[in-house]
Amino acid sequence: MDGDTTVEGNHYLSRAEEILAILDTHAAAWKPILAAYYGIEFSNAITKETRAGLISLIPLIPYIGGDENPMTRHLLRSTTSLALYKAMKSRGKSAEETGKVIYEAVVDSVSRMQERSFELSDDFIQKEKFLAQESQKRAYPGNWVWEFVEGNGVDFDYGYDFLECGTQKLYHAQGADEFLPYYCYLDFVTQHTTGWGFARSMTLAEGFHKCDFRWKKSGITRKGWPPPFLTGE
């Protein structure tokens, strides 16, 4: 693989097989959706092209602290979708088309996952406050920066305000700004903790000054295709 020879680049190169394994899991969910829309031949070809594209992207992923930073996992997962978007774009497919494929695949995958349980505790709050404060030191330019927001128990119980987004930075560097809102919309599917509802009224991807993640016990997560930013809701 050609790419960055810095410590940062070498960090991800040393984990290439792990990152490709993440892609294999994602691609297994994408392939039947791609085949349904575009045919098996296209699905097989785009999967191969996505894998090749990811290999070239691996040394370009910003280093944000490795496994010591819990956001590294999110950065790696967003890179697989970036690779698919770039492969689809090279074949004339739009950001919306790629977003819909990934959305449907994630909906199907989440429907087969075991529900998670969660109780808001003082230990959790203190840990999340600490992680937020660490992010605000901005030790790594490619990292997220966020604030932990304590809820009032009425509108929401806890949340985060993301002031900078690692995925946004990566996608911008790769000329994939138009795809970012579709990737961010997946949060409404992946947030499936039993007894909790997820809400968000703004995102950096849509030009706002922050992403306001909010969770409410016994709340409702409103999701569905198309995303609100396509319908003007």
Side-chain angles (χ1 to χ4, degrees), residues 15-25 51 54-55 58:
R15 300 177 62 178
E17 292 306 315
E18 174 190 343
I19 297 169
L20 290 170
I22 295 172
L23 173 64
D24 290 342
T25 299
R51 188 179 180 86
L54 180 60
I55 289 172
I58 287 174

Side-chain angles (χ1 to χ4, degrees), residues 68-191:
E68 292 184 5
N69 184 349
M71 303 306 289
T72 294
R73 177 174 66 91
H74 296 292
L75 190 60
L76 296 181
R77 293 176 67 85
S78 66
T79 304
T80 67
S81 293
L82 172 61
L84 176 63
Y85 163 70
K86 290 170 77 73
M88 291 280 282
K89 184 178 181 180
S90 72
R91 285 177 169 259
K93 304 303 180 186
S94 68
E96 181 179 346
E97 288 177 283
T98 306
K100 193 169 193 293
V101 167
I102 297 175
Y103 178 85
E104 292 187 9
V106 173
V107 167
D108 183 62
S109 297
V110 168
S111 70
R112 292 182 276 105
M113 292 174 61
Q114 184 176 2
E115 289 285 330
R116 299 182 297 237
S117 60
F118 169 76
E119 290 296 331
L120 187 62
S121 67
D122 289 339
D123 286 345
F124 172 83
I125 291 172
Q126 293 308 312
K127 176 185 176 183
E128 295 305 304
K129 284 183 176 180
F130 171 77
L131 290 173
Q133 290 167 357
E134 288 295 300
S135 78
Q136 292 162 30
K137 295 177 181 177
R138 292 175 167 81
Y140 302 101
N143 196 15
W144 281 255
V145 177
W146 69 95
E147 299 171 344
F148 181 80
V149 183
E150 293 193 65
N152 55 22
V154 179
D155 302 309
F156 66 99
D157 292 299
Y158 77 98
Y160 308 93
D161 284 342
F162 285 93
L163 310 177
E164 297 180 20
C165 171
T167 295
Q168 182 186 40
K169 295 170 186 178
L170 173 64
Y171 281 24
H172 179 70
Q174 292 298 317
D177 297 282
E178 66 171 353
F179 177 60
L180 182 64
Y182 297 96
Y183 182 79
C184 295
Y185 187 62
L186 298 176
D187 289 331
F188 286 92
V189 183
T190 58
Q191 299 298 329

